[in-house]
Structures are given as structure tokens and as C-alpha cells.
Amino acid sequence: MIDTLATALMMSTPLLYGAISEMFTERSGVMNTSIEGAFLMGAFGGFVGAYISGSLLIGFIFAIISGVLLTFIYGIVTVKYKQHQVVTGTALNILALGLATFLFRVIFGIPVIPLKVTPLQTIAIPLLSKIPFVGPIFFDQNLLTYIMYFIVPASFYVLYKTSYGLIIRSTGENPEAVDVAGVDVNRVRITMLLIAGAFCGIAGAFYSLTILGLFTSSIIGGRGWIAFAICFLGNWRPYGVLFGALAFGLAEAIGIRFMVMEGMVIPNEFFIALPYILTIILTITRNSFNIPAKLGVPYNKE
Amino acid sequence: MINQIKTKFSDPDFKDLVVTNVVAIIAGILISGIMLLLIKINPIEAFSVATASVMSDKYTFAEILVKATPLIFTGLAFAFTYKANLFNIGAQGQFYIGTIVAVAISLSIGDVVPGFIGIIVVMALTIVAGAIYGGLIGLVKAKKGANEFLISMMSTYVAIAFMNFLLRTSLRETRGEYPQTDVIPESMRLPIIWGGTRLHLGFILAVLTAVTLWLILFKTPFGFRVRAVGNNASAAVQAGINSSKTTIITFAISGAMGALAGFLVVNGIQYMVIQGYYAEVGALGIGIAILANGNPIGVIFAALLFGGIQVIGIEMTMRAKTPTSFTYLMLGCVTLFVIISYYFRRVMKINRDKKKLVDGVSK
Amino acid sequence: MKKVIELKNISKYFAKVIANKDVSFDLHEGEVLALLGENGAGKSTIMKILYGLYHQDEGKILINGEETRIDSPKDAMKYGISMIQQHFSLVEAHTVTENIILGHVKGNIDVNECTNKIKELSDKYGFNLNPNSIIRDLSVGERQKVEILKALFQNTEILIMDEPTAVLTPQEITNLMKFIKDFVKGGNSVVFISHKLNEVMEVADNIVIMRNGELVGNVKKTETDEKKLANLMVGRELNQTPTKSISHVVENENVLDMTNVTCVDRDGIKVLNNLSLTVRKGEIFGIAGVSGNGQQELCEAISGVRELVDGKITLLNEDIGSLSVYERIKAGIGYVPSNRHRDAMISDMTIAENMFLKSSFENKWLAGKLIDKEKLNSYTNNKIRDFSIKAHGPDAKAGGLSGGNQQKVILAREVDNGSKLIVLDQPTRGLDLGAINHVHKSIVRESKNGKGILLVSTELSEIFGLCDRIGVIYQGELQGIYSPDELTPEKVGLLMAGWKEEVR
């Protein structure tokens, strides 16, 4: 039980990084549909950096660079060239798949045994981790999960209490108002995408450097899209996103737990599909949406 | 005919379309080719070896058409909704639904019903299953205003989980070794139309379907309504067009296309379902539809191009030792450049109009 | 007076139109400069260039005598320039405060401090606004005050207002004029963009007149009058207001009969309230009012896009209240909506396809299962000829036509669809005079053919000139139904602003 909950928290970490970044870009009016590719680039870049340097820190820096590279291209094509976001995202996701696997081969050739790095370890926080029940769940985690605890309140603060947060929210609602106020709409949107690239890079590297310690081309397996969906489910609000990420993390943890149990009545695949089914049901049944008014619409002056 | 083509090309918009697309395709292949230098493979050599092999060997050449066949269908799946300004990015899931239905029905009726009728039944049921799976997305879009992009994406993962469940349980091969099905009986296989190759009847079916969809879209009132809803939903509603009905039917047709791709893979090529095969067929369909600008006839040519790139990629792997991932690199680059070319086409058009205007003033 | 802004030989080309050609004029300290011209004359464009939203293709801008590059609104603000767009640029989901401080505060937002500052500013000018209101809940007049406060918050010295009175009631207009006069007393300047002669004559010191993107006059108010301005603005003697010919007969049979019709918007607020009217055969019934008072909803209730909450609509004594849009088109209702780009045409399709738009369910255009292209093209060609639409054929894209020609395409279609009743919502808005004449003639012709016409317009001259009876609408209710000789423009103005006669 405690194990499952701790795993749930860990599994929700990358989803939250991705979903929070998606929330910020969507609040500024752009969907980051290259999110799956950005996760993959992060997983790839992170592994390469960490394997070559032997340092996880450098790995994560590489992951950030790889993610940003992809969302930068995405930003140029969708924001500057105003091309369709869904379509561009699809192309970049194919490209990311090709690029990551191709470069992996370029760098490592065809290894005889799978290459591995030592994954990010958990750090038990003295005293706190000794609290019964709560301790092992919340305070025996890895560094990135600890950082996650701060991301949500920080996001809330930035979005609602700062001048730039107001600009971000306004850009998604009415970019013309932002333009007339003397702020460059496209710059705001591209900035959000670059930040999203960094977050998605870390999220992707979380799979290669924290959960598994290795890289395969199927390592992300649709989790970028889960983060994308969580942003919708969280109704574009930081605490909603947190709730969504925790729910999906829990579902994933239960799935892992049932995989190792024999003779289950409910098939394991059901738990794998559950988050997706829930997303569909929630999208259909919810009435009030906080969706940014100009989400997905490029800003045209003339 | 030649005159017709000439008049088409005298339209600067059409000329731009062809020229920019060709440039984008070449640029995409060129850039990915340069990356081969990283692993010390001479791209020109690799390309020429592969091309020579495609040209000299009819089996390999026919493989282009074979690869293009399911891609035409997934391309159509995206293109048809695209014209209605809807986004069905769930063709991958509809494809898997199609494979499951095709394999399950083929296995169960294969020995009972005569082949010809059996194949028709399988195809009909696949269409129905795909139309329902896709139509449901249209239904929630039309009735609940749900985001069809998100729902179709999620529906793919549900389909994958469902398929994996079946491959682990009731559809699992009799040997019980791998997560894959048994092979369907010979009577249920689509006839080969070119001896000595794997080219099957499905290719003809794909071309005919594309032409039919083109006719529907551009020559019938229903297709007109699809495009009207896509171009300006508000004006369509004011014109008495029931946009929810149009949306649902459009999605049903789109879903049927995705599922048909699955039927052709099962009954035309693979004769079975293997876990996780053809994992990119949906995404490539989107790239194909974009390259064709959503035009069903254009989808045929775009799918042939993508099929060609795939076969060249395979040949390069076999004969020049390029990595298999190189194919995706090429496809990704080509698609990306094609998208970017849309932008340059727009800039060219604006500049042309502007020039006309300024010239008009100075005269 | 000191020159603060000098515009020198500015030209701006868009893809399809020349927006400005060689425009030069100056703005002085402490003056109200009116930019007068018809729709599409290029008034907004030249000011958007000054405000940095567009960049000129030729020419230069001098500020306080020095050549200056203005690349973005940020640059313009540096020089104390603010512009209020015709369609306000406010974030509807945000509060007044959030809209005003957008982009103008740094780092953390101290909401209380900002709110107090805005409250003070608002009280100083007697605006009476609550800084914590959400924009969505405000009236148009209040939204304009928010826009003005936005400019004042930045200590603007040069305020550009694009058609500020278009959506205001006469009383609100008076208040706005008062504000402008106060504002320039302190040495500030105002550019007042308008196409309304009387307002320009009331408020301006100097008047710049534009036509087709070019400057055609720059005069002092004291040296001109409305008639001279009008001639400059349209380039020839003003047309007489259209009048109906005498042979026109209104029959006693009702085409359209609306009884106690009530409709609500998405939030359940009444947009049409207990509205009743009749349109007779051969009659042109006018609806006058400030735009946004339920006109569009009224038309939509008839066309079937908007559901009735209460009341009854009949067409030639047949109840059509529960019919679908398509069934109503079939019953003979034609509708020319006010927003033609959004509601009436598909820009990316050809003229022929747009002609087909409302009859896609009918068999008359079919050859077998397919659309009979030849038949449709020859029909379209006839329409192009009859309505003198300037286009190179039925295959021309509708989006490539000028506004007037687009409107003719829609009119040509709706005249045929509306075999019994034609509803026209602002059919001449944004058109040039030639096209306006054409629309007026078509309206009169169709009424002579015995059709009922419902004409919604904010142009009083149009209403007075064409209509047999006039209903004045205010907040979804009819203030009364009058014959043209019972009304004076002053009385209509009062009715439009909400004043109601006690007994009638």
C-alpha cells in the first residue's frame, strides 16, 4: 500500500512537469502538440549526456537542451510561420522518433549488451521520512519529486500574482489586447514553448535516468500525450493539473503492481487503458471549461 | 490532356504548390542524407544502390505499392476530416480495431464460408467497426463539443490496450508463444495481382476508394456540406446545414478508412496480427494528408512517395547498412519541410498580389 | 500651436488593397484632430501605423520635429501615444484592473495598490467604474471607459480614438465629447476617427478628410460646413436619400407575424423580450436602434438559428416557430446577416459554390447523384450579370471579391431564397455608395414583387427613406411602431436611447 502510493507519487512526477508546462503554453494560446517528441528527445538527450559524462546533472542539462531544440522548431513553425499546430506536432513527433533512434545509433553503434546508467537515487529526508505512513510516501523520494512539491504553488504564484503571469493569461484570451499594450505576442508564446521544452526534456529524462536507467525508442509510449490530456483535465489550473497528475500516477502504479500479481480477475490492460478512458469520460461529461479563448489560433495582425 | 496540365500550371498558385512541394521533399531527403555522413556512410552511394535495386527488381518495386496501400487509407482517414476542419488523429487506433476485427472474423469464418464471400463479409464488418469507432468520436464532438483531437488520441491508446488484451487471451496463437494471432486461412487472403510480388488487390481498392472520396467531397452535395462546415461552420448553420450530423458522418467515414487499412494489412500482407506492428501507420497518414493538402487524389501520390521512402529506407539498410531509424528521419524531415512550404507559398502569394497592386498604381 | 506629430508621405500596401497612398498631415498640441472618411478610406490604417501596429511601406513619421521609427505599440507609448481600437481590445474574462495594468506593471502585482490608483483616476474623470468588475459584465459604454482609463493610466498625451461613438447611445456620446474637450485643455491632443459629419463638426478643431486611402482635404472647422465635408468625403454631390416609388402598394395580408417573441442568450438573459410585429406583403418594415440591442437575435429568431423561449412566429399564417433553419429556407425566407463573412458566405469557396450554399439539399442542382456544375455555373453567370458583380466568373473565390461585390453575391442568392420574406440586417454597412444604391434598388424591387421585407439598419436615412413602418428596438424590446411621418430624427434618437412614450 505504502509502496504503491510512493510509486504513484514518483510516476506522477514527469507527468506533472509535462502537464504544468503544457498549461503555461496553452494559457498563452498555443498547444504544444510536439510534447510526445519533446519527452522522447529529453529521454534520449538525458541518457546520452549522463552516459558519456557519467554525471546525471549533465544528463539532465542535455535533456533540457534536447527538449528545447524540438519545441524551438515547433515554435518557429507554428507561432512565426503560423502553421497548424496539430499537424506540425505530428511531423515533429515522427522526426523526434527518427532523430533520437538514429543519433543513438550514431553515438553508440549497435551495443551488444544494453547500455545502462545508474538511475537517480531516492534521498530520505532525516526525521520527516520517519513519520509513519506519510514519511515513506512523501519524504523518501528522488530530488525531482521533491522539486515537484514546489512547482505547483510556484506556478500558481507566477500565473496569478505576477505581471508576466497576467500577460501569459491575457495572450491566450485576447492576444490583440496584449499587442496593443505593447507586448510582443509571438515572443510570449515562443518563450512559453521554450520553457515547455525544458520541462518536457526533464520529464522525458526522468524515464531514462530515474525510472529505468536506459534508453529505448519506445520508452515514452504515449506519456507525453497523457501530460497533454492532464492539462485539459486540470482545467488549465495549477492545482487541477496536480490532481490530474496524481490520479494518472496512481493508475500507473496500480498497473505496475497488478502486473506482478498472478491470477487477477481484472486484466492488467484495463488499468493501462483506464487513464485514457477516464480522460475521454471526463472530457465528455464536464460542462464548464476554463479553456483559453484563443487556444490554437495563430495571431494575425493584418 | 497535356493542354489541361499546361493550363493548370499557368495558374501561379498551382505552380507554387507543385514547385514548393518538390523543393520541400528534396530538401527533406537531402538533409536527412547529410546526417548519414555522421556514421560514415556516403549518402549518394547509399541512395543510388537502393534506387538501383528498386528499379531493377520488380518485387522490390511492387513493395512501394504494397507499403502505400494502408498508407493511402490512413491518409484518407485524416484528409477527409481535415476537409471538414476536424482532426481525427486516431487513425492508428482505428487501424488496430480494423486488424482485430479482420483477423477475428477471418479466423472464425474462414473454413466455413467460401473465400470470396468471406472476404466481402470481413471487409464489410471492418468498415462497420471502424465507422462506429470513428463515428463515436464525431458523436461526442457534435453533441458534447468535446475536443475531437484529444478524444481521438486517447481512443488510440484504448484500442492498443484492447488489442494487447486480446493478443494475450482469446486471440493468442494456438502455440501460445508470442503475443500474436494464428495465420488466417488461404481462402481469406486477397488475391495477388502481380505475380512474383506481394502486390494484392487492396492497392486497386485503395485507389478506387480515394477517387470515390474525391468525388464525394467535390462533386456531391454531401461533400459540399462537409467542406462548408469545415470552412465556415457558422455560415453552414445559417444555411440550414446540420453540422452535427455532418460531423458524425464525416468521422464515421474517416474511422472506416482507418479500419480498412487494418483489413488490408491482415488479409492482404501479414495474414495475422502481431503486437505493436505498423505502429506509425496513423502518424504517417497525417503527414501524407498534409502533403496532399487534404485532397484524396493527392493522397494517392503522397502515399506512394512515403511508401517509396520506406522501401528505399529498407533497401539502404540491407545494402548500405544504414540504421532502420533512418527511414523515420527521412519521413519526419520531409513532412516538416512540406509544412514549412505552406508558409512560403503564402508569402509568395501575398508578395505576388502586392506586386500586382503596386505595379497597377505606378502605371 | 506646436506640431507634435508630422506624418510625411505615408503609404501602406496590403495584399489586396492600397490602404494608404502618400498621406501627410500634422497633429498639434492641444488640438482635436478629426480623421473623416467613409468605411475603408484608410483612416484606421494610418493611425495603426502611428501606433506601431502596422509598419508603413513608404514615408516617415516625425515626433516633436525628429524622425522616429515606431516598430511596436511599445515605441508609441514611449512617446505618450495611445490608441483605442474600434473593436475594443479587452480581455473579457479579466477584471478592469487586470486589463488596465496589462503590460504596464513589473514583477509582482500589488492588486490593492493598482485598484486604488485606478479608482482614483476613474473618480477624477467621473467615470464611476468598479475596478474589480469583470469586463464580460460591463456595457459597451463602460468598456470604452476602461479603454480610456488604460490610456490615462499610462499618462497619455496623444489619444487616438477609432470610431468611438459607433456603439454608444446619444447620452453616452455627449459625455464622451465632454471628456475629449476636457482632456485637450491640459495640452494633450486627440485624434478622433469618424465617418459621422455632425460629431466631427461638434468636437474637432481641425479636420483631415480621406478617401480611398488618400488625403483629400485638411481644413479648419471654422472654415467649413457639413455639406462641404460630405462632398470631400464621398467625392461627389451626396445622393438624395433613396425613396420608394409611388406605384408601390402594401397589401393587407401579413407575410410575417411575430407575437410576444422572447429569446435568451447562453447565460439565460433575455435578448428579445415579448416582441411583436407584422410585416405585410409588399411592405418594407424598418428596425431602427443602436446596434447590439437585439437586432441580430430578432433576425435569427426568424431565420431559425435561435430558439424561441416564448411566443409565436407565423409565415403566411403557417406556424414556423418549430421549423428548422432548412425548413424555413424552404418555406421562402431569405436572410442577409449583418456579419457576412461569418454567417453568410464561405470565403474559400467559389461564387458558384456560395450560390449553392443554401440549396444543397434540393434536387434542382443535381444531375444524378452529382452536382450539375454547368447548370449552376450558368445560373451564377446570370446572377453576376443581373447584379453587376465584378468578378471574372463563377469560379472566382468569393473571398477575393470586394466587400460590395460579396454583398451582391449574398443578396442575389437571398432574393431567390426569400420568395416570401427577406430579412436584411445592416445590408449596406461598409459598402461604397454604388453598392449601397444597388442594394437599395433591389430592396425596393423585391417589395414591389409583393414580398415582405424586414430591414434592420443603424443608418436612420436608410430607414426613413425606404420603410413603410418603423419599429425602434431597445434592449430586445420594441419601443413602438411608427409610420415615418410620425417620427423626427430627434424622437428616434430618444427612443433608441431607451426613452419610452407613456401612452400610445
Side-chain angles (χ1 to χ4, degrees), chain A residues 193-212:
Chain A
L193 280 170
L194 295 183
I195 293 173
F199 272 69
C200 292
I202 295 174
F206 194 87
Y207 292 102
S208 61
L209 296 185
T210 305
I211 298 177
L212 295 172

Side-chain angles (χ1 to χ4, degrees), chain B residues 219 227 232 234 354 361, chain C residues 13 18 341 343 353 360 371:
Chain B
K219 301 289 168 190
R227 289 183 296 126
N232 186 345
S234 174
K354 234 179 175 175
V361 174
Chain C
Y13 310 104
I18 303 165
H341 288 284
D343 295 334
E353 284 178 311
S360 72
I371 299 167

Side-chain angles (χ1 to χ4, degrees), chain A residues 70 73 90-100, chain B residues 328-329 332-333 336:
Chain A
L70 196 75
I73 301 174
T90 310
L92 281 176
N93 292 331
I94 300 177
L95 184 65
L97 177 68
L99 202 63
Chain B
Y328 289 112
L329 196 61
C333 280
L336 182 65

Side-chain angles (χ1 to χ4, degrees), chain B residues 324-340:
Chain B
T324 44
S325 52
F326 182 65
T327 308
Y328 289 112
L329 196 61
M330 279 195 284
L331 292 173
C333 280
V334 168
T335 315
L336 182 65
F337 281 108
V338 166
I339 292 169
I340 293 175

